[in-house]
Amino acid sequence: MADPDRHNGIGGAVWYVETALDRLYRFCGALAAVAIVLIAVFVGASVVTRLMGVYVGGLTEGAGYAMAAAGSLGCAYAFGAGAHIRVDLGLNACPPGLRRRLDQFATAAASVAVCFLAFYFLRMVRISWIYGDISDGSDGLPLWLPQLPAAIGLVVFAIALVHAALHYALTGESRIRDNDEALLVEPGKE
């Protein structure tokens, strides 16, 4: 196991928290991958059953539910891997100090926005639970069931953004920008 005192120049307790959070982000990424496989299974089953002339209710809804879960559960992992689309063209033209401040502002603003989104998504799940909302589709599933994985994904994404903003503020190092260096390839040195 790596030495916690050497991790980004911060103490052991913070290193353990960051390690646990990174594991959480990877776990959510794995769940998102499972959800993507479920989308393929549901769509494939829907195609096969239609070709056979058999109607199986809920396959289309299941694919939609899995898509929502994959989209939100994968956000934290993709963010940590530097895979989210970011507009760096303007930032690259800025001096390093301004670029750092703009990057910190963008991370903090995204943290606030996604925290609000996660809060209201959790609220929607709670309301669906309280009122016993049922899907309008042929599956008749209680709506809180497919909403819950999507809400969990947004909560974990909010945690990842706050984590990145705090890490950036405390250490001056971007958890995401460090991953960008691997993407930069000089022409002729591929």
Side-chain angles (χ1 to χ4, degrees):
M1 187 166 161
D3 181 14
D5 292 330
R6 293 184 54 202
H7 182 71
N8 292 329
I10 51 181
V14 173
W15 181 83
Y16 287 113
V17 169
E18 286 198 341
T19 301
L21 288 174
D22 287 338
R23 286 181 183 154
L24 174 65
Y25 307 150
R26 283 194 306 272
F27 178 70
C28 285
L31 290 177
V34 169
I36 290 171
V37 170
L38 284 175
I39 294 169
V41 168
F42 284 132
V43 170
S46 179
V47 169
V48 169
T49 57
R50 285 183 188 170
L51 289 174
M52 295 171 44
V54 177
Y55 174 74
V56 178
L59 291 176
T60 303
E61 290 86 356
Y65 300 151
M67 187 177 300
S72 63
L73 285 168
C75 284
Y77 176 76
F79 177 72
H84 280 258
I85 296 172
R86 298 187 315 267
V87 180
D88 286 340
L89 188 59
L91 286 178
N92 288 337
C94 295
L98 177 60
R99 179 180 175 152
R100 179 178 306 275
R101 286 191 298 274
L102 288 173
D103 209 18
Q104 286 175 327
F105 173 77
T107 304
S111 299
V112 170
V114 174
C115 282
F116 276 113
L117 182 63
F119 171 78
Y120 283 106
F121 214 100
L122 284 171
R123 188 173 174 193
M124 180 181 65
V125 172
R126 182 175 174 266
I127 289 170
S128 293
W129 168 273
I130 290 170
Y131 291 108
D133 290 342
I134 303 294
S135 168
D136 290 336
S138 61
D139 58 350
L141 189 67
L143 278 179
W144 68 269
L145 286 172
Q147 290 171 348
L148 187 61
I152 291 170
L154 288 173
V155 168
V156 174
F157 185 35
I159 291 168
L161 284 166
V162 170
H163 175 204
L166 288 174
H167 183 89
Y168 210 160
L170 295 173
T171 66
E173 298 174 0
S174 171
R175 292 177 49 84
I176 307 310
R177 292 265 173 235
D178 295 341
N179 293 335
D180 284 348
E181 302 306 321
L183 301 175
L184 299 176
V185 178
E186 292 182 35
K189 295 190 178 188
E190 299 174 358

